[in-house]
Amino acid sequence: MGVNFILQGAEANISRIKKGTEILQEEWNKTEQKAGDVFSDVRVTVKFHEGMELEVKRMKADVEIDCHEPAHFFRGLNWVLNHLEKAEGESEKKEKAYFAGNGLMLDCSRNAVFTVEKVKAMIRILAKLGLNRLLLYTEDTYEVPELPYFGVYRGRYSREEIREIDEYAQIFGIELIPCIQTLAHLHNALKWSEAQKIMDTPDILQVGKEETYEFIEKLLTAVKDSFHTRKIHLGMDEAVQLGLGNYLKENGYKNSSELIKEHCARVLEICRKLGLEPMIWSDMYITSNTGKSYYEVPENADCSDWKKPAPELGLVYWDYYNADTKIYEKMLNVHKQLSDKIVFAGGCWIWNGIAPNYSRSFTCTKAALTTCKKYEVPEVFCTAWLDNGAETPVDAILPGAALFAHLGFHEEFDEAALEDEFQDAVGSSLKEFLKLDKFDQLFLGDQANMKSENPSKYLLYQDALLGIFDYHLKDAGVSEYYKKLAEELKNSAEICKNHAKFFGYYHCLAEVLAQKADLGSEIKAAYDAHDLSTLSRICEEIIPHLTENLWKLKELREDLWMADAKPFGYELIDLRMGGVITRLDSTRRRLHSYVEGKISRLEELETERIQYFAEGEPAIENHWQRAVSGADFTDTI
């Protein structure tokens, strides 16, 4: 028996949530089988008010949802959907939204540009969580009609695709906000010959050039034509070499604080012309004033003499690193001196490599949002960066998004409540997702991974003959560790049927690491002992079996990618995983030649295994090109 919502209340209120209700009702009726347990007709009275309280009351088949806006209504409706059992009788839910804006930023610039259908699926989950913002981070992955090379071969969104996503988001009261770049992080756009005249350094636009602002106006015009909102995130972060390339050659040295102010003024002029409401990442305004790194701000800093942004320019304070609320307090004090329009951006660590780092995500997010509430920051969002090629499947973001929603509607963190909210919105077990943390806790035991160690990545990719990281595996019990993790993940796909392929991939990854992580050490030990029997067994049994599992792993990752994202960019994942297989095949042939006496020595195995990570340094290497070889991957010129 399917559920059927009968909406009641003022016609203007019903019109705001009718289509979204129908979509969620249809989705529920397709996926849930609770015949005989729920009412078929449920009368829902909706009321909107100025306050931020969300109140849901249910008496059998009659429901009242009193809330601030449509996104909050859908959070209440989702709770109703998941608590329809007749036995419950009367029930009530009361919450308060602590942030006027709360949402998610999807990174669509690190090779994975998510399909329209995937983004729509994410929008439905955000609606169920009560989130009302979705930012699309697109450096060059959106269509600019006058710039044919902008985002070419990258799977850029067409204007029609963005409009389709935008219209869908509006159905659920979610504001789709463009998040682009207008200063740095533009290496993919600047690599083409047509862009050389506006380049300062390979990653940064040249400030002051008229051609630069003609280029930026084309970008902003394209965005305005695609998105419904007038809000726009202009980027402008991490331009650490600002003014030190072609600008320096042509104009001489100028302080970066002056350059950023000059550039902002010009870009703001274009925004005013187009009727856009801009915000930027705040780091350049802080680092250019202090001459130090972003978080190296003195306690109780006095910013009265700093160069400050224009009043209409919002500042986005980004921080995914700190567990100490005092750091957030210090940084927010600085931001409040610089701007009246502050937004906070935290993050879910899915850019750690192959697997997510939930322990750091949860630790930092709880500290950050507690402080944001104290300082009454009006808007927050959770970033989903995908550094170094989008290796982590995007569904790994879901616990982070759910945590932002949970802390957005609860004064304090409640683990049991979060687990229920996650299950209701995502349809899978939060506990199963959090098991993925163990991929990178190899050397940490039960400690939170606050330094973002990522052995699952570099042990997957490292070359078995070179053994670059093998020094650090002595007595670590790596194979047994990942065998145990594979056993823990054995039933996750069955438990989380909505994410069966996702967990199937991670279960296979654990099995591969159990076979591969110690392989280089085993080969080296056998070679040093001149144990030809073991080397022969590695050639004939271990490597072929491992290769078979790697093919399976690669195919599982490809299936996930093609279900989530456009095909562009997957070729690099294919090359990386295919490279592991190819190198293992070469390793097998090299070992076989040595065992048969065709060659007298293997120079790779005679090289001493030395420390990769310095004493006390965290075991992290998130650059694939460094993990696979000691040689240069690109030319020095």
PDB file of all heavy atoms in Angstrom, residues 44-63:
ATOM      1  N   VAL A  44      -1.854  16.439   5.213  1.00  0.00           N
ATOM      2  CA  VAL A  44      -0.758  17.268   5.713  1.00  0.00           C
ATOM      3  C   VAL A  44      -1.143  18.737   5.601  1.00  0.00           C
ATOM      4  O   VAL A  44      -1.363  19.250   4.498  1.00  0.00           O
ATOM      5  CB  VAL A  44       0.542  17.012   4.920  1.00  0.00           C
ATOM      6  CG1 VAL A  44       1.673  17.889   5.462  1.00  0.00           C
ATOM      7  CG2 VAL A  44       0.937  15.545   4.984  1.00  0.00           C
ATOM      8  N   THR A  45      -1.221  19.397   6.744  1.00  0.00           N
ATOM      9  CA  THR A  45      -1.473  20.837   6.774  1.00  0.00           C
ATOM     10  C   THR A  45      -0.141  21.555   6.918  1.00  0.00           C
ATOM     11  O   THR A  45       0.634  21.282   7.851  1.00  0.00           O
ATOM     12  CB  THR A  45      -2.394  21.214   7.950  1.00  0.00           C
ATOM     13  OG1 THR A  45      -3.635  20.510   7.819  1.00  0.00           O
ATOM     14  CG2 THR A  45      -2.664  22.714   7.960  1.00  0.00           C
ATOM     15  N   VAL A  46       0.154  22.473   5.995  1.00  0.00           N
ATOM     16  CA  VAL A  46       1.428  23.175   6.009  1.00  0.00           C
ATOM     17  C   VAL A  46       1.213  24.638   6.340  1.00  0.00           C
ATOM     18  O   VAL A  46       0.299  25.286   5.835  1.00  0.00           O
ATOM     19  CB  VAL A  46       2.167  23.025   4.652  1.00  0.00           C
ATOM     20  CG1 VAL A  46       1.310  23.506   3.488  1.00  0.00           C
ATOM     21  CG2 VAL A  46       3.491  23.766   4.675  1.00  0.00           C
ATOM     22  N   LYS A  47       2.073  25.146   7.218  1.00  0.00           N
ATOM     23  CA  LYS A  47       2.067  26.562   7.568  1.00  0.00           C
ATOM     24  C   LYS A  47       3.502  27.075   7.550  1.00  0.00           C
ATOM     25  O   LYS A  47       4.424  26.378   7.997  1.00  0.00           O
ATOM     26  CB  LYS A  47       1.478  26.774   8.966  1.00  0.00           C
ATOM     27  CG  LYS A  47       0.021  26.357   9.133  1.00  0.00           C
ATOM     28  CD  LYS A  47      -0.415  26.534  10.580  1.00  0.00           C
ATOM     29  CE  LYS A  47      -1.847  26.043  10.793  1.00  0.00           C
ATOM     30  NZ  LYS A  47      -2.253  26.162  12.234  1.00  0.00           N
ATOM     31  N   PHE A  48       3.683  28.280   7.047  1.00  0.00           N
ATOM     32  CA  PHE A  48       5.003  28.908   7.062  1.00  0.00           C
ATOM     33  C   PHE A  48       4.978  30.120   7.989  1.00  0.00           C
ATOM     34  O   PHE A  48       3.969  30.836   8.062  1.00  0.00           O
ATOM     35  CB  PHE A  48       5.427  29.340   5.656  1.00  0.00           C
ATOM     36  CG  PHE A  48       5.698  28.183   4.728  1.00  0.00           C
ATOM     37  CD1 PHE A  48       4.823  27.895   3.688  1.00  0.00           C
ATOM     38  CD2 PHE A  48       6.807  27.389   4.902  1.00  0.00           C
ATOM     39  CE1 PHE A  48       5.059  26.828   2.837  1.00  0.00           C
ATOM     40  CE2 PHE A  48       7.059  26.315   4.055  1.00  0.00           C
ATOM     41  CZ  PHE A  48       6.183  26.032   3.020  1.00  0.00           C
ATOM     42  N   HIS A  49       6.074  30.350   8.696  1.00  0.00           N
ATOM     43  CA  HIS A  49       6.153  31.488   9.604  1.00  0.00           C
ATOM     44  C   HIS A  49       7.543  32.108   9.539  1.00  0.00           C
ATOM     45  O   HIS A  49       8.457  31.554   8.917  1.00  0.00           O
ATOM     46  CB  HIS A  49       5.830  31.055  11.042  1.00  0.00           C
ATOM     47  CG  HIS A  49       6.730  29.973  11.553  1.00  0.00           C
ATOM     48  ND1 HIS A  49       6.287  28.702  11.821  1.00  0.00           N
ATOM     49  CD2 HIS A  49       8.060  29.963  11.845  1.00  0.00           C
ATOM     50  CE1 HIS A  49       7.296  27.965  12.262  1.00  0.00           C
ATOM     51  NE2 HIS A  49       8.379  28.711  12.276  1.00  0.00           N
ATOM     52  N   GLU A  50       7.726  33.250  10.190  1.00  0.00           N
ATOM     53  CA  GLU A  50       8.990  33.984  10.129  1.00  0.00           C
ATOM     54  C   GLU A  50      10.090  33.328  10.955  1.00  0.00           C
ATOM     55  O   GLU A  50      11.260  33.391  10.607  1.00  0.00           O
ATOM     56  CB  GLU A  50       8.779  35.426  10.623  1.00  0.00           C
ATOM     57  CG  GLU A  50       7.971  36.294   9.671  1.00  0.00           C
ATOM     58  CD  GLU A  50       8.650  36.430   8.322  1.00  0.00           C
ATOM     59  OE1 GLU A  50       9.872  36.678   8.284  1.00  0.00           O
ATOM     60  OE2 GLU A  50       7.955  36.276   7.295  1.00  0.00           O
ATOM     61  N   GLY A  51       9.742  32.715  12.073  1.00  0.00           N
ATOM     62  CA  GLY A  51      10.750  32.115  12.949  1.00  0.00           C
ATOM     63  C   GLY A  51      11.417  30.901  12.337  1.00  0.00           C
ATOM     64  O   GLY A  51      10.996  30.384  11.299  1.00  0.00           O
ATOM     65  N   MET A  52      12.477  30.408  12.984  1.00  0.00           N
ATOM     66  CA  MET A  52      13.273  29.303  12.455  1.00  0.00           C
ATOM     67  C   MET A  52      12.900  27.954  13.068  1.00  0.00           C
ATOM     68  O   MET A  52      13.581  26.964  12.856  1.00  0.00           O
ATOM     69  CB  MET A  52      14.765  29.581  12.697  1.00  0.00           C
ATOM     70  CG  MET A  52      15.272  30.866  12.063  1.00  0.00           C
ATOM     71  SD  MET A  52      15.014  30.923  10.262  1.00  0.00           S
ATOM     72  CE  MET A  52      16.277  29.775   9.725  1.00  0.00           C
ATOM     73  N   GLU A  53      11.798  27.918  13.829  1.00  0.00           N
ATOM     74  CA  GLU A  53      11.371  26.665  14.443  1.00  0.00           C
ATOM     75  C   GLU A  53      10.702  25.761  13.414  1.00  0.00           C
ATOM     76  O   GLU A  53       9.999  26.216  12.513  1.00  0.00           O
ATOM     77  CB  GLU A  53      10.392  26.926  15.591  1.00  0.00           C
ATOM     78  CG  GLU A  53      10.992  27.662  16.775  1.00  0.00           C
ATOM     79  CD  GLU A  53      11.157  29.153  16.536  1.00  0.00           C
ATOM     80  OE1 GLU A  53      10.523  29.684  15.580  1.00  0.00           O
ATOM     81  OE2 GLU A  53      11.915  29.787  17.288  1.00  0.00           O
ATOM     82  N   LEU A  54      10.925  24.464  13.576  1.00  0.00           N
ATOM     83  CA  LEU A  54      10.264  23.436  12.773  1.00  0.00           C
ATOM     84  C   LEU A  54       9.498  22.543  13.738  1.00  0.00           C
ATOM     85  O   LEU A  54      10.087  21.949  14.643  1.00  0.00           O
ATOM     86  CB  LEU A  54      11.297  22.615  11.995  1.00  0.00           C
ATOM     87  CG  LEU A  54      10.806  21.292  11.367  1.00  0.00           C
ATOM     88  CD1 LEU A  54       9.706  21.547  10.341  1.00  0.00           C
ATOM     89  CD2 LEU A  54      11.968  20.527  10.728  1.00  0.00           C
ATOM     90  N   GLU A  55       8.189  22.457  13.531  1.00  0.00           N
ATOM     91  CA  GLU A  55       7.357  21.651  14.415  1.00  0.00           C
ATOM     92  C   GLU A  55       6.476  20.732  13.575  1.00  0.00           C
ATOM     93  O   GLU A  55       5.793  21.177  12.648  1.00  0.00           O
ATOM     94  CB  GLU A  55       6.488  22.541  15.302  1.00  0.00           C
ATOM     95  CG  GLU A  55       5.705  21.776  16.349  1.00  0.00           C
ATOM     96  CD  GLU A  55       5.008  22.682  17.352  1.00  0.00           C
ATOM     97  OE1 GLU A  55       5.199  23.918  17.282  1.00  0.00           O
ATOM     98  OE2 GLU A  55       4.266  22.145  18.199  1.00  0.00           O
ATOM     99  N   VAL A  56       6.545  19.462  13.886  1.00  0.00           N
ATOM    100  CA  VAL A  56       5.730  18.463  13.192  1.00  0.00           C
ATOM    101  C   VAL A  56       4.876  17.742  14.224  1.00  0.00           C
ATOM    102  O   VAL A  56       5.393  17.222  15.217  1.00  0.00           O
ATOM    103  CB  VAL A  56       6.611  17.428  12.445  1.00  0.00           C
ATOM    104  CG1 VAL A  56       5.734  16.475  11.632  1.00  0.00           C
ATOM    105  CG2 VAL A  56       7.621  18.125  11.547  1.00  0.00           C
ATOM    106  N   LYS A  57       3.567  17.724  13.976  1.00  0.00           N
ATOM    107  CA  LYS A  57       2.649  16.999  14.845  1.00  0.00           C
ATOM    108  C   LYS A  57       1.882  15.982  14.016  1.00  0.00           C
ATOM    109  O   LYS A  57       1.449  16.296  12.903  1.00  0.00           O
ATOM    110  CB  LYS A  57       1.651  17.961  15.507  1.00  0.00           C
ATOM    111  CG  LYS A  57       2.269  18.946  16.468  1.00  0.00           C
ATOM    112  CD  LYS A  57       1.190  19.858  17.052  1.00  0.00           C
ATOM    113  CE  LYS A  57       1.787  20.866  18.026  1.00  0.00           C
ATOM    114  NZ  LYS A  57       0.740  21.785  18.554  1.00  0.00           N
ATOM    115  N   ARG A  58       1.726  14.776  14.548  1.00  0.00           N
ATOM    116  CA  ARG A  58       0.963  13.749  13.838  1.00  0.00           C
ATOM    117  C   ARG A  58       0.006  13.062  14.791  1.00  0.00           C
ATOM    118  O   ARG A  58       0.378  12.657  15.887  1.00  0.00           O
ATOM    119  CB  ARG A  58       1.896  12.708  13.218  1.00  0.00           C
ATOM    120  CG  ARG A  58       1.146  11.684  12.365  1.00  0.00           C
ATOM    121  CD  ARG A  58       2.099  10.692  11.723  1.00  0.00           C
ATOM    122  NE  ARG A  58       2.602   9.734  12.689  1.00  0.00           N
ATOM    123  CZ  ARG A  58       1.932   8.652  13.085  1.00  0.00           C
ATOM    124  NH1 ARG A  58       0.719   8.411  12.622  1.00  0.00           N
ATOM    125  NH2 ARG A  58       2.460   7.819  13.955  1.00  0.00           N
ATOM    126  N   MET A  59      -1.208  12.972  14.353  1.00  0.00           N
ATOM    127  CA  MET A  59      -2.218  12.186  15.044  1.00  0.00           C
ATOM    128  C   MET A  59      -2.829  11.252  14.012  1.00  0.00           C
ATOM    129  O   MET A  59      -3.636  11.665  13.186  1.00  0.00           O
ATOM    130  CB  MET A  59      -3.288  13.080  15.668  1.00  0.00           C
ATOM    131  CG  MET A  59      -4.492  12.319  16.233  1.00  0.00           C
ATOM    132  SD  MET A  59      -4.071  11.171  17.559  1.00  0.00           S
ATOM    133  CE  MET A  59      -4.000  12.290  18.932  1.00  0.00           C
ATOM    134  N   LYS A  60      -2.346   9.996  14.014  1.00  0.00           N
ATOM    135  CA  LYS A  60      -2.780   9.007  13.037  1.00  0.00           C
ATOM    136  C   LYS A  60      -2.537   9.535  11.624  1.00  0.00           C
ATOM    137  O   LYS A  60      -1.396   9.752  11.247  1.00  0.00           O
ATOM    138  CB  LYS A  60      -4.222   8.598  13.285  1.00  0.00           C
ATOM    139  CG  LYS A  60      -4.420   7.884  14.620  1.00  0.00           C
ATOM    140  CD  LYS A  60      -5.830   7.380  14.806  1.00  0.00           C
ATOM    141  CE  LYS A  60      -5.963   6.645  16.128  1.00  0.00           C
ATOM    142  NZ  LYS A  60      -7.331   6.137  16.356  1.00  0.00           N
ATOM    143  N   ALA A  61      -3.571   9.760  10.847  1.00  0.00           N
ATOM    144  CA  ALA A  61      -3.386  10.158   9.449  1.00  0.00           C
ATOM    145  C   ALA A  61      -3.447  11.664   9.249  1.00  0.00           C
ATOM    146  O   ALA A  61      -3.533  12.144   8.112  1.00  0.00           O
ATOM    147  CB  ALA A  61      -4.434   9.485   8.569  1.00  0.00           C
ATOM    148  N   ASP A  62      -3.386  12.435  10.313  1.00  0.00           N
ATOM    149  CA  ASP A  62      -3.410  13.893  10.217  1.00  0.00           C
ATOM    150  C   ASP A  62      -2.086  14.461  10.702  1.00  0.00           C
ATOM    151  O   ASP A  62      -1.640  14.168  11.824  1.00  0.00           O
ATOM    152  CB  ASP A  62      -4.567  14.458  11.048  1.00  0.00           C
ATOM    153  CG  ASP A  62      -5.918  14.164  10.419  1.00  0.00           C
ATOM    154  OD1 ASP A  62      -6.178  14.686   9.323  1.00  0.00           O
ATOM    155  OD2 ASP A  62      -6.680  13.374  11.016  1.00  0.00           O
ATOM    156  N   VAL A  63      -1.471  15.294   9.852  1.00  0.00           N
ATOM    157  CA  VAL A  63      -0.154  15.844  10.137  1.00  0.00           C
ATOM    158  C   VAL A  63      -0.186  17.357   9.982  1.00  0.00           C
ATOM    159  O   VAL A  63      -0.806  17.879   9.042  1.00  0.00           O
ATOM    160  CB  VAL A  63       0.919  15.251   9.189  1.00  0.00           C
ATOM    161  CG1 VAL A  63       2.270  15.916   9.403  1.00  0.00           C
ATOM    162  CG2 VAL A  63       1.031  13.742   9.380  1.00  0.00           C
TER     163      VAL A  63
END
